[in-house]
Amino acid sequence: MSDVSQDNDNERGKLFGGDFDIKRVLLEGRAFFALIAIIVIFSILSPVYFSTSNFLTMSSHVAIFGLLSLGMLLVILTGGIDLSVGSTLGLAGVFAGFLMQGVSFEILGVVFYPPVWVVVILTCGLGALVGAINGVLIAYFKVPAFVATLGLLYVARGVALLMTDGLTFNNLGGSPELGNTGFDWLGFNRLLGIPVGVLILAAVAIVGILLLARTPFGRWVYSTGGNARAAELSGVPVKRVQVLVYVISGICAAIAGLVLSSQLTSAGPTAGTTYELTAIAGVVIGGAALTGGRGNVRGTLLGAFVIGFLSDGLVIIGVSSYWQTVFTGAVIILAVLLNSIQYSGQKKQQASSDGKTTSPQPEGATERSPASGSTAGNAGTQS
Amino acid sequence: MNEHAVSQEEALGKVILSARNIAKSFGNVHALKAVNFDVHYGQVTTLFGENGAGKSTLMKILSGVMQPSSGEIVLEGEPVSFSSTTEAQRHGISIIHQELSLAPNLSVRDNVFMGREIVGKGGVDYAEESHQTRQLMEELDEPIDPLTPVEDLRLGQQQIVEIARALSVNSRILIMDEPTSALSASEVEVLFRVIRDLKSRGVSLVYISHHLEEALTITDHAVVLRDGRMTAYAARAEIDLEWIVRNMVGENFDLGSPPEGYAMGDAVLSIEGVTVPDASVPGRAVVDDMSLSVRAGEIVCIYGLMGAGRTELLESVAGRGGMVAGRVLLHGEDISRLSIAERIEKGLVLVPEDRQRDGLVPTMSVGENLSLASIGAFTKGLLTSRGRERHVVGDSISNVHIKTDGPAASIGSLSGGNQQKVVIGKMMATHPRVVLLDEPSRGIDIGAKAEVFRLLSEGAAQQGLAVVFSTSEVGECLSIAHRIVVMSRGRIAAEFGADATKEEIMAASGEAVVA
Ligand SMILES: Nc1ncnc2c1ncn2[C@@H]1O[C@H](COP(=O)(O)OP(=O)(O)OP(=O)(O)O)[C@@H](O)[C@H]1O
Ligand SMILES: [Mg+2]
């Protein structure tokens, strides 16, 4: 027996708008409702929370997690995981900082100061390289994703520390004479009042939406995560897809590294430690399944906002950082709980709810949906 | 002892389990509409019906996998309701599912005793479990080592493990939903021997199969389901094959004959000396220096027992790897080094045997599955075009007659046979020049089978499609195929024209020797 009937609910909901069900809406939009709940609660608890300037500040924090989460989403959709993004972020920041200090070619006796756009390209290239190593190890050498990216987590962090001897680059401003100003434009500055980091996140998200929903590559990603063997026999270049998603994840991490060091106007080798976990949490809260094949950009963005707005809110109302950790963890668990209700619970729900409705009328068309969402709905309102 | 035998004699044929006015709906799909169904003590009741008629759904309800929307189940005169399979098992009812439900990473033994481990003094009594598993497998004439991981077994052997698991429960009522779809004729014989044995021990059986003739040899009662209703019932003595087909589909279906009246083209596919080694036995080859050439417009049937190397041959030709020697030529061009995707691009496609493992992406909708292999056809520039995709999907659904709620329905909502049609439709949507089909009729009803064959023979006659399909049912070879190739132990054992007889073909495959 195959067990994918749960999807049917969503699909049917779309097809037959008639059997609209508030509980299912709550479950499916849980990340959205969680975000609203977080905003309402913190606005009540603190007068400064609900203000444009605070939202913009929080959003620029979210930008970092959001970028990492979007890359992570692609990887998770193929059924993989990328633990190296936090370290790649740190390495990318340090590498950019290193380039901004000028590269000296000792043989020629000159110091070369690359302009910011070159720095951006080289840094993204470095992120892509880290991702490519991950991808090749996983797709061609069959190293389990968890292990390969765990290894790269250590290697990338180690290289970042080696490059700076553990120190931080503070001078990222460049100077007009050297023609390398403009690093501020990667995250620190604002455009039309909006932090550049947020705009970059929005741009990456739009590309992500198009990529997943409207390109062959997107279809390949979903099918690889859903059933790699079947995908391969249908002509999907499964191995190339696997390498590419890690490359994209690496580039996203590099962009996040650039944005973060621009925001902080400094690049330290320990930046981004444990961010990979936050990124995974964002994807999971956004409704993706860690087993692959299910998830989307919209959910992941919401997930990143939930995490970001929650942790900043806790800081603003002055909760101790120990409690912040506890709260964040609880939210993640709740999200995964809801995922399992959506992806497997519905099946059981469907079976048992049909058993209960022993009404003589055989038209069970609408009976099932309200009942099937019931537990799910209750759980949904808790978050 | 004697007394017991007498009471058993009396009880024989009595209704032990019955479904009363069972209805079951999935959203808008009314899979069952007030069905009545009886299981007779110590006898086999066979359920016939088209794909999507509701057979599996009814069986899932009787075995506690699902609950009915309305209606009741009566066991020995008492109304009962099962909220789970374990509860049904406590009442002595167990089921062999149509889609295998084994854990591939576990051994045969662990699968047989999954959830019912024998616990001794020091934890699980593995020795006893192994012993019982070995006995069961021997009873089924498939002496596989109990410690072999299930993923190393071929599909037919996995099905036998599934059967062994159901037997190990010692249930009073045993439901078998298409237990033979991956079994060879001799394996089916063994299963039937076991079924007769069970009957004599007073076990009541329900049997579902699309192999009608085969099922008739074992059944005592025949029930026909059509569109969620029971449309006919008869005892074995009163019926024949024609009765079943008439009640199932309303008319008599013929699997067709080789298409004629056109000139075949040149050889499009040439297989030269293809060799695939056996992964588990070093030095042995599953496909041993095979050569075969197929012309445009020609339909070739590869007949053979399970394990004859048909799947390995077709997979290696399609690019699944494993080939260590030989060449595959498509239109004279050597494609042995190309990837699967490149071969599909060039017009060579494979419809795999195991739809769950190799055919379907369970997380994607029916439409997305159907269009997966032909994404290029609806991509403009960088982006896919939804309008054109709808078109491709709509065409596939109507070409292979998939019974579904619509392209957005989930794969799991389709009946087994309709899932199979999705896999076939997906590959046909790429407009291939050469199509390889590995057991394409697995789990599809006689009407659908006729449709698939009609589709293939039309393709051959009108577009010069070269078709190679494998089967373990001789009757299918003798339908549309121009040429019948019998494979045995990785080699071609014999070749026949369309005028061969069943006996000739079976003898060449070595079946007579085994049986
Ligand atoms: N979980 C489900 N959700 C929605 N529809 C379903 C579900 N399971 C079955 N159906 C529908 O119920 C109908 C009966 O399906 P069922 O699996 O019982 O058919 P079947 O007679 O066993 O066919 P086959 O011979 O192809 O196995 C089909 O139309 C199928 O699409
Ligand atoms: Mg079925």
Side-chain angles (χ1 to χ4, degrees), chain B residues 96 108-114 116 118 127-146 157 159-171 174 176 187 190-191 193-194 197-198 201:
Chain B
I96 300 173
V108 171
R109 174 196 70 196
D110 294 349
N111 268 288
V112 168
F113 287 96
M114 189 164 26
R116 300 175 298 106
I118 301 177
E128 177 59 22
E129 285 190 0
S130 294
H131 176 70
Q132 291 193 18
T133 306
R134 191 167 284 121
Q135 258 181 351
L136 276 168
M137 295 311 285
E138 265 160 25
E139 201 177 320
L140 288 165
D141 240 10
E142 195 77 35
I144 307 168
D145 180 7
Q157 291 174 317
Q159 205 157 37
I160 290 174
V161 174
E162 185 93 33
I163 294 170
R165 178 162 75 184
L167 293 181
S168 74
V169 184
N170 282 326
S171 34
L174 180 56
M176 301 184 166
E187 286 165 337
V190 174
L191 175 67
R193 202 188 64 218
V194 172
D197 198 44
L198 290 171
R201 283 193 256 153

Short mmCIF file of all heavy atoms in Angstrom, two decimals, chain B residues 96 108-114 116 118 127-146 157 159-171 174 176 187 190-191 193-194 197-198 201:
data_model
loop_
_atom_site.label_atom_id
_atom_site.label_comp_id
_atom_site.label_asym_id
_atom_site.label_seq_id
_atom_site.Cartn_x
_atom_site.Cartn_y
_atom_site.Cartn_z
N ILE B 96 -2.08 -9.97 2.63
CA ILE B 96 -0.87 -9.75 1.83
C ILE B 96 -1.20 -8.59 0.90
O ILE B 96 -2.10 -8.70 0.08
CB ILE B 96 -0.53 -10.99 0.99
CG1 ILE B 96 -0.30 -12.18 1.90
CG2 ILE B 96 0.67 -10.72 0.10
CD1 ILE B 96 -0.13 -13.49 1.14
N VAL B 108 15.35 -11.19 5.61
CA VAL B 108 14.11 -11.93 5.39
C VAL B 108 13.49 -12.29 6.74
O VAL B 108 12.29 -12.08 6.97
CB VAL B 108 14.41 -13.20 4.57
CG1 VAL B 108 13.19 -14.10 4.51
CG2 VAL B 108 14.88 -12.82 3.18
N ARG B 109 14.30 -12.80 7.64
CA ARG B 109 13.80 -13.23 8.94
C ARG B 109 13.15 -12.05 9.69
O ARG B 109 12.04 -12.17 10.20
CB ARG B 109 14.96 -13.78 9.78
CG ARG B 109 14.58 -14.11 11.19
CD ARG B 109 15.82 -14.27 12.06
NE ARG B 109 16.48 -12.99 12.26
CZ ARG B 109 17.73 -12.86 12.70
NH1 ARG B 109 18.46 -13.93 12.94
NH2 ARG B 109 18.26 -11.67 12.89
N ASP B 110 13.87 -10.93 9.72
CA ASP B 110 13.35 -9.79 10.48
C ASP B 110 12.07 -9.25 9.86
O ASP B 110 11.20 -8.74 10.57
CB ASP B 110 14.40 -8.69 10.57
CG ASP B 110 15.60 -9.15 11.38
OD1 ASP B 110 15.49 -10.21 12.02
OD2 ASP B 110 16.63 -8.46 11.36
N ASN B 111 11.95 -9.37 8.54
CA ASN B 111 10.72 -8.93 7.91
C ASN B 111 9.56 -9.86 8.24
O ASN B 111 8.46 -9.40 8.51
CB ASN B 111 10.90 -8.85 6.39
CG ASN B 111 11.32 -7.49 5.94
OD1 ASN B 111 10.52 -6.55 5.96
ND2 ASN B 111 12.58 -7.34 5.59
N VAL B 112 9.84 -11.15 8.22
CA VAL B 112 8.78 -12.11 8.51
C VAL B 112 8.24 -11.89 9.92
O VAL B 112 7.04 -11.94 10.16
CB VAL B 112 9.29 -13.56 8.32
CG1 VAL B 112 8.31 -14.56 8.90
CG2 VAL B 112 9.52 -13.83 6.84
N PHE B 113 9.13 -11.61 10.85
CA PHE B 113 8.68 -11.48 12.25
C PHE B 113 8.55 -10.03 12.70
O PHE B 113 8.44 -9.75 13.89
CB PHE B 113 9.61 -12.25 13.17
CG PHE B 113 9.41 -13.74 13.05
CD1 PHE B 113 10.21 -14.50 12.23
CD2 PHE B 113 8.37 -14.36 13.74
CE1 PHE B 113 10.01 -15.86 12.10
CE2 PHE B 113 8.16 -15.72 13.62
CZ PHE B 113 8.97 -16.47 12.80
N MET B 114 8.55 -9.12 11.76
CA MET B 114 8.48 -7.71 12.13
C MET B 114 7.22 -7.42 12.93
O MET B 114 6.11 -7.72 12.52
CB MET B 114 8.51 -6.84 10.87
CG MET B 114 8.68 -5.37 11.17
SD MET B 114 9.16 -4.37 9.74
CE MET B 114 8.58 -5.22 8.34
N ARG B 116 6.22 -8.90 15.50
CA ARG B 116 5.74 -10.04 16.28
C ARG B 116 6.94 -10.88 16.71
O ARG B 116 6.91 -12.10 16.67
CB ARG B 116 4.79 -10.90 15.45
CG ARG B 116 3.55 -10.16 14.95
CD ARG B 116 2.73 -11.05 14.05
NE ARG B 116 3.51 -11.43 12.88
CZ ARG B 116 4.04 -12.62 12.67
NH1 ARG B 116 3.89 -13.58 13.53
NH2 ARG B 116 4.74 -12.85 11.58
N ILE B 118 9.70 -13.09 18.30
CA ILE B 118 9.60 -14.15 19.30
C ILE B 118 10.58 -13.80 20.42
O ILE B 118 11.78 -13.70 20.20
CB ILE B 118 9.99 -15.51 18.70
CG1 ILE B 118 9.07 -15.83 17.52
CG2 ILE B 118 9.92 -16.60 19.76
CD1 ILE B 118 9.43 -17.11 16.81
N ALA B 127 17.41 -17.50 16.91
CA ALA B 127 17.59 -18.85 16.38
C ALA B 127 16.24 -19.44 16.00
O ALA B 127 16.08 -20.01 14.91
CB ALA B 127 18.27 -19.71 17.43
N GLU B 128 15.26 -19.29 16.87
CA GLU B 128 13.93 -19.83 16.60
C GLU B 128 13.31 -19.13 15.39
O GLU B 128 12.71 -19.77 14.52
CB GLU B 128 13.06 -19.65 17.85
CG GLU B 128 11.61 -20.12 17.71
CD GLU B 128 11.50 -21.60 17.34
OE1 GLU B 128 12.45 -22.34 17.60
OE2 GLU B 128 10.45 -21.98 16.79
N GLU B 129 13.48 -17.80 15.34
CA GLU B 129 12.93 -17.05 14.20
C GLU B 129 13.55 -17.53 12.89
O GLU B 129 12.85 -17.75 11.91
CB GLU B 129 13.19 -15.54 14.37
CG GLU B 129 12.29 -14.88 15.39
CD GLU B 129 12.41 -13.35 15.35
OE1 GLU B 129 13.20 -12.84 14.53
OE2 GLU B 129 11.70 -12.70 16.13
N SER B 130 14.87 -17.71 12.91
CA SER B 130 15.55 -18.17 11.69
C SER B 130 15.03 -19.54 11.30
O SER B 130 14.77 -19.81 10.12
CB SER B 130 17.06 -18.27 11.93
OG SER B 130 17.59 -17.02 12.15
N HIS B 131 14.88 -20.40 12.31
CA HIS B 131 14.41 -21.75 12.05
C HIS B 131 13.04 -21.72 11.39
O HIS B 131 12.83 -22.36 10.35
CB HIS B 131 14.36 -22.50 13.38
CG HIS B 131 13.81 -23.88 13.28
ND1 HIS B 131 14.49 -24.89 12.66
CD2 HIS B 131 12.61 -24.39 13.67
CE1 HIS B 131 13.75 -25.98 12.69
NE2 HIS B 131 12.60 -25.70 13.29
N GLN B 132 12.13 -20.96 11.98
CA GLN B 132 10.77 -20.91 11.43
C GLN B 132 10.75 -20.29 10.03
O GLN B 132 10.02 -20.73 9.15
CB GLN B 132 9.85 -20.10 12.35
CG GLN B 132 9.58 -20.82 13.66
CD GLN B 132 8.44 -20.16 14.42
OE1 GLN B 132 7.65 -19.41 13.86
NE2 GLN B 132 8.37 -20.42 15.72
N THR B 133 11.58 -19.24 9.85
CA THR B 133 11.63 -18.60 8.54
C THR B 133 12.10 -19.59 7.49
O THR B 133 11.53 -19.70 6.41
CB THR B 133 12.59 -17.39 8.58
OG1 THR B 133 12.20 -16.54 9.63
CG2 THR B 133 12.54 -16.64 7.26
N ARG B 134 13.16 -20.34 7.86
CA ARG B 134 13.71 -21.31 6.90
C ARG B 134 12.63 -22.31 6.52
O ARG B 134 12.47 -22.64 5.34
CB ARG B 134 14.93 -22.00 7.49
CG ARG B 134 15.71 -22.81 6.47
CD ARG B 134 17.08 -23.23 6.95
NE ARG B 134 18.04 -22.16 6.93
CZ ARG B 134 18.68 -21.72 8.03
NH1 ARG B 134 18.43 -22.27 9.20
NH2 ARG B 134 19.55 -20.75 7.93
N GLN B 135 11.88 -22.77 7.53
CA GLN B 135 10.81 -23.74 7.26
C GLN B 135 9.77 -23.18 6.30
O GLN B 135 9.36 -23.82 5.34
CB GLN B 135 10.14 -24.12 8.57
CG GLN B 135 10.59 -25.46 9.08
CD GLN B 135 9.88 -25.81 10.36
OE1 GLN B 135 9.17 -24.99 10.95
NE2 GLN B 135 10.07 -27.03 10.80
N LEU B 136 9.36 -21.93 6.60
CA LEU B 136 8.35 -21.29 5.76
C LEU B 136 8.83 -21.15 4.33
O LEU B 136 8.11 -21.46 3.38
CB LEU B 136 8.04 -19.89 6.30
CG LEU B 136 7.03 -19.79 7.42
CD1 LEU B 136 7.07 -18.39 8.02
CD2 LEU B 136 5.64 -20.09 6.89
N MET B 137 10.08 -20.71 4.18
CA MET B 137 10.61 -20.48 2.84
C MET B 137 10.74 -21.81 2.10
O MET B 137 10.57 -21.88 0.89
CB MET B 137 11.96 -19.77 2.89
CG MET B 137 11.92 -18.36 3.46
SD MET B 137 10.66 -17.28 2.77
CE MET B 137 11.36 -16.90 1.18
N GLU B 138 11.05 -22.86 2.85
CA GLU B 138 11.15 -24.17 2.20
C GLU B 138 9.78 -24.64 1.76
O GLU B 138 9.62 -25.20 0.67
CB GLU B 138 11.81 -25.18 3.13
CG GLU B 138 13.30 -25.28 2.84
CD GLU B 138 14.09 -25.88 3.99
OE1 GLU B 138 13.49 -26.63 4.79
OE2 GLU B 138 15.30 -25.57 4.09
N GLU B 139 8.81 -24.41 2.60
CA GLU B 139 7.44 -24.77 2.25
C GLU B 139 7.03 -24.07 0.95
O GLU B 139 6.28 -24.60 0.14
CB GLU B 139 6.52 -24.32 3.39
CG GLU B 139 5.19 -25.04 3.45
CD GLU B 139 4.40 -24.56 4.66
OE1 GLU B 139 5.01 -24.37 5.74
OE2 GLU B 139 3.20 -24.35 4.51
N LEU B 140 7.56 -22.86 0.77
CA LEU B 140 7.24 -22.09 -0.43
C LEU B 140 8.23 -22.36 -1.56
O LEU B 140 8.24 -21.65 -2.56
CB LEU B 140 7.22 -20.60 -0.09
CG LEU B 140 6.02 -20.16 0.74
CD1 LEU B 140 6.26 -18.78 1.34
CD2 LEU B 140 4.76 -20.14 -0.10
N ASP B 141 9.09 -23.37 -1.36
CA ASP B 141 10.03 -23.76 -2.40
C ASP B 141 11.00 -22.65 -2.77
O ASP B 141 11.43 -22.56 -3.92
CB ASP B 141 9.25 -24.18 -3.66
CG ASP B 141 9.58 -25.63 -4.00
OD1 ASP B 141 10.21 -26.29 -3.15
OD2 ASP B 141 9.20 -26.08 -5.08
N GLU B 142 11.32 -21.79 -1.86
CA GLU B 142 12.24 -20.69 -2.16
C GLU B 142 13.27 -20.64 -1.03
O GLU B 142 13.16 -19.82 -0.13
CB GLU B 142 11.45 -19.38 -2.24
CG GLU B 142 12.18 -18.23 -2.89
CD GLU B 142 12.22 -18.34 -4.41
OE1 GLU B 142 11.24 -18.82 -5.01
OE2 GLU B 142 13.23 -17.96 -4.99
N PRO B 143 14.23 -21.57 -1.05
CA PRO B 143 15.12 -21.69 0.11
C PRO B 143 16.13 -20.55 0.20
O PRO B 143 17.32 -20.72 0.01
CB PRO B 143 15.82 -23.03 -0.13
CG PRO B 143 15.74 -23.26 -1.60
CD PRO B 143 14.56 -22.51 -2.12
N ILE B 144 15.61 -19.35 0.49
CA ILE B 144 16.50 -18.19 0.65
C ILE B 144 17.03 -18.20 2.09
O ILE B 144 16.29 -18.52 3.01
CB ILE B 144 15.73 -16.88 0.41
CG1 ILE B 144 15.01 -16.93 -0.93
CG2 ILE B 144 16.63 -15.68 0.51
CD1 ILE B 144 13.99 -15.83 -1.10
N ASP B 145 18.29 -17.82 2.24
CA ASP B 145 18.86 -17.72 3.58
C ASP B 145 18.09 -16.66 4.37
O ASP B 145 17.93 -15.53 3.90
CB ASP B 145 20.34 -17.33 3.46
CG ASP B 145 21.00 -17.20 4.82
OD1 ASP B 145 20.35 -17.54 5.83
OD2 ASP B 145 22.17 -16.76 4.88
N PRO B 146 17.60 -17.00 5.57
CA PRO B 146 16.80 -16.05 6.35
C PRO B 146 17.52 -14.74 6.64
O PRO B 146 16.89 -13.75 6.99
CB PRO B 146 16.52 -16.80 7.65
CG PRO B 146 16.69 -18.23 7.33
CD PRO B 146 17.69 -18.31 6.23
N GLN B 157 10.92 -12.80 -5.45
CA GLN B 157 11.31 -13.36 -4.16
C GLN B 157 10.78 -12.51 -3.01
O GLN B 157 10.37 -13.02 -1.98
CB GLN B 157 12.84 -13.46 -4.07
CG GLN B 157 13.42 -14.50 -5.00
CD GLN B 157 14.93 -14.49 -5.00
OE1 GLN B 157 15.54 -13.41 -5.03
NE2 GLN B 157 15.54 -15.65 -4.97
N GLN B 159 8.07 -10.89 -3.08
CA GLN B 159 6.65 -11.21 -2.94
C GLN B 159 6.48 -12.49 -2.13
O GLN B 159 5.56 -12.62 -1.33
CB GLN B 159 6.03 -11.35 -4.34
CG GLN B 159 4.55 -11.09 -4.31
CD GLN B 159 4.04 -10.67 -5.68
OE1 GLN B 159 4.49 -11.16 -6.71
NE2 GLN B 159 3.08 -9.78 -5.70
N ILE B 160 7.38 -13.43 -2.33
CA ILE B 160 7.29 -14.67 -1.59
C ILE B 160 7.55 -14.43 -0.09
O ILE B 160 6.91 -15.03 0.76
CB ILE B 160 8.24 -15.73 -2.19
CG1 ILE B 160 7.67 -16.14 -3.56
CG2 ILE B 160 8.39 -16.93 -1.29
CD1 ILE B 160 8.54 -17.05 -4.35
N VAL B 161 8.47 -13.52 0.21
CA VAL B 161 8.71 -13.18 1.61
C VAL B 161 7.43 -12.59 2.22
O VAL B 161 7.04 -12.92 3.34
CB VAL B 161 9.88 -12.18 1.75
CG1 VAL B 161 10.02 -11.71 3.18
CG2 VAL B 161 11.17 -12.80 1.26
N GLU B 162 6.80 -11.75 1.45
CA GLU B 162 5.53 -11.14 1.90
C GLU B 162 4.50 -12.25 2.20
O GLU B 162 3.78 -12.20 3.20
CB GLU B 162 5.02 -10.21 0.79
CG GLU B 162 3.79 -9.43 1.12
CD GLU B 162 4.10 -8.04 1.68
OE1 GLU B 162 5.10 -7.45 1.27
OE2 GLU B 162 3.32 -7.58 2.52
N ILE B 163 4.46 -13.24 1.33
CA ILE B 163 3.53 -14.35 1.54
C ILE B 163 3.92 -15.13 2.80
O ILE B 163 3.08 -15.45 3.64
CB ILE B 163 3.52 -15.29 0.31
CG1 ILE B 163 2.94 -14.54 -0.90
CG2 ILE B 163 2.73 -16.56 0.59
CD1 ILE B 163 3.10 -15.27 -2.22
N ALA B 164 5.22 -15.38 2.95
CA ALA B 164 5.70 -16.11 4.12
C ALA B 164 5.31 -15.38 5.40
O ALA B 164 4.91 -15.98 6.40
CB ALA B 164 7.21 -16.28 4.06
N ARG B 165 5.40 -14.07 5.35
CA ARG B 165 5.05 -13.30 6.54
C ARG B 165 3.58 -13.50 6.90
O ARG B 165 3.24 -13.71 8.05
CB ARG B 165 5.33 -11.82 6.31
CG ARG B 165 4.92 -11.00 7.52
CD ARG B 165 5.55 -9.66 7.52
NE ARG B 165 4.92 -8.77 6.55
CZ ARG B 165 5.35 -7.55 6.29
NH1 ARG B 165 6.42 -7.09 6.89
NH2 ARG B 165 4.73 -6.80 5.42
N ALA B 166 2.72 -13.47 5.88
CA ALA B 166 1.30 -13.65 6.17
C ALA B 166 1.04 -15.06 6.68
O ALA B 166 0.21 -15.26 7.58
CB ALA B 166 0.48 -13.37 4.92
N LEU B 167 1.77 -16.03 6.14
CA LEU B 167 1.55 -17.41 6.58
C LEU B 167 2.00 -17.61 8.02
O LEU B 167 1.41 -18.40 8.76
CB LEU B 167 2.31 -18.39 5.68
CG LEU B 167 1.82 -18.48 4.24
CD1 LEU B 167 2.65 -19.49 3.47
CD2 LEU B 167 0.35 -18.88 4.20
N SER B 168 3.06 -16.89 8.40
CA SER B 168 3.63 -17.11 9.73
C SER B 168 2.67 -16.70 10.84
O SER B 168 2.83 -17.09 11.98
CB SER B 168 4.93 -16.32 9.87
OG SER B 168 4.64 -14.95 10.01
N VAL B 169 1.65 -15.94 10.50
CA VAL B 169 0.71 -15.47 11.52
C VAL B 169 -0.27 -16.57 11.92
O VAL B 169 -0.87 -16.51 12.98
CB VAL B 169 -0.07 -14.23 11.00
CG1 VAL B 169 -0.98 -13.66 12.05
CG2 VAL B 169 0.88 -13.18 10.52
N ASN B 170 -0.43 -17.57 11.05
CA ASN B 170 -1.41 -18.63 11.30
C ASN B 170 -2.81 -18.07 11.44
O ASN B 170 -3.50 -18.33 12.42
CB ASN B 170 -1.08 -19.39 12.59
CG ASN B 170 0.04 -20.37 12.34
OD1 ASN B 170 0.13 -20.93 11.25
ND2 ASN B 170 0.89 -20.53 13.31
N SER B 171 -3.23 -17.28 10.48
CA SER B 171 -4.55 -16.67 10.62
C SER B 171 -5.63 -17.61 10.12
O SER B 171 -5.37 -18.56 9.40
CB SER B 171 -4.59 -15.35 9.87
OG SER B 171 -3.79 -15.44 8.73
N LEU B 174 -7.23 -15.41 5.45
CA LEU B 174 -6.06 -14.82 4.82
C LEU B 174 -6.47 -14.16 3.51
O LEU B 174 -7.09 -14.78 2.65
CB LEU B 174 -5.02 -15.93 4.57
CG LEU B 174 -3.72 -15.50 3.93
CD1 LEU B 174 -3.04 -14.41 4.73
CD2 LEU B 174 -2.78 -16.70 3.80
N MET B 176 -5.33 -12.27 0.09
CA MET B 176 -4.16 -12.11 -0.79
C MET B 176 -4.53 -11.17 -1.93
O MET B 176 -5.30 -11.53 -2.80
CB MET B 176 -3.75 -13.47 -1.37
CG MET B 176 -3.40 -14.51 -0.32
SD MET B 176 -2.82 -15.99 -1.16
CE MET B 176 -2.08 -16.86 0.22
N GLU B 187 6.43 -20.69 -9.59
CA GLU B 187 6.25 -20.15 -8.24
C GLU B 187 4.77 -20.06 -7.90
O GLU B 187 4.36 -20.29 -6.76
CB GLU B 187 6.91 -18.77 -8.13
CG GLU B 187 8.43 -18.85 -8.07
CD GLU B 187 9.12 -17.51 -8.31
OE1 GLU B 187 8.53 -16.62 -8.95
OE2 GLU B 187 10.26 -17.38 -7.87
N VAL B 190 3.57 -23.38 -6.74
CA VAL B 190 3.91 -23.64 -5.35
C VAL B 190 2.93 -22.92 -4.43
O VAL B 190 2.40 -23.49 -3.47
CB VAL B 190 5.35 -23.17 -5.05
CG1 VAL B 190 5.65 -23.29 -3.58
CG2 VAL B 190 6.34 -23.96 -5.87
N LEU B 191 2.63 -21.68 -4.77
CA LEU B 191 1.69 -20.92 -3.94
C LEU B 191 0.33 -21.62 -3.91
O LEU B 191 -0.31 -21.73 -2.86
CB LEU B 191 1.55 -19.49 -4.49
CG LEU B 191 0.51 -18.65 -3.77
CD1 LEU B 191 0.95 -18.37 -2.33
CD2 LEU B 191 0.27 -17.33 -4.49
N ARG B 193 -0.28 -24.73 -4.26
CA ARG B 193 -0.18 -25.93 -3.42
C ARG B 193 -0.36 -25.52 -1.95
O ARG B 193 -1.09 -26.15 -1.20
CB ARG B 193 1.18 -26.59 -3.63
CG ARG B 193 1.21 -28.05 -3.26
CD ARG B 193 2.62 -28.57 -3.30
NE ARG B 193 3.45 -27.90 -2.31
CZ ARG B 193 4.72 -27.56 -2.52
NH1 ARG B 193 5.30 -27.82 -3.66
NH2 ARG B 193 5.40 -26.95 -1.55
N VAL B 194 0.30 -24.42 -1.58
CA VAL B 194 0.18 -23.94 -0.21
C VAL B 194 -1.27 -23.54 0.09
O VAL B 194 -1.79 -23.82 1.16
CB VAL B 194 1.14 -22.74 0.02
CG1 VAL B 194 0.89 -22.11 1.37
CG2 VAL B 194 2.57 -23.19 -0.11
N ASP B 197 -3.31 -26.50 0.74
CA ASP B 197 -2.95 -27.01 2.05
C ASP B 197 -3.66 -26.21 3.15
O ASP B 197 -4.21 -26.77 4.09
CB ASP B 197 -1.43 -26.85 2.18
CG ASP B 197 -0.88 -27.71 3.28
OD1 ASP B 197 -1.31 -28.87 3.35
OD2 ASP B 197 -0.06 -27.20 4.06
N LEU B 198 -3.66 -24.89 3.00
CA LEU B 198 -4.32 -24.03 3.98
C LEU B 198 -5.81 -24.34 4.04
O LEU B 198 -6.40 -24.41 5.12
CB LEU B 198 -4.13 -22.56 3.61
CG LEU B 198 -2.72 -21.99 3.77
CD1 LEU B 198 -2.64 -20.60 3.16
CD2 LEU B 198 -2.35 -21.93 5.25
N ARG B 201 -6.68 -27.14 6.03
CA ARG B 201 -6.55 -26.90 7.47
C ARG B 201 -7.65 -25.97 7.97
O ARG B 201 -7.62 -25.49 9.09
CB ARG B 201 -5.19 -26.27 7.77
CG ARG B 201 -4.07 -27.29 7.74
CD ARG B 201 -2.83 -26.70 8.34
NE ARG B 201 -1.85 -26.33 7.31
CZ ARG B 201 -0.95 -25.37 7.45
NH1 ARG B 201 -0.94 -24.64 8.56
NH2 ARG B 201 -0.09 -25.11 6.50
#
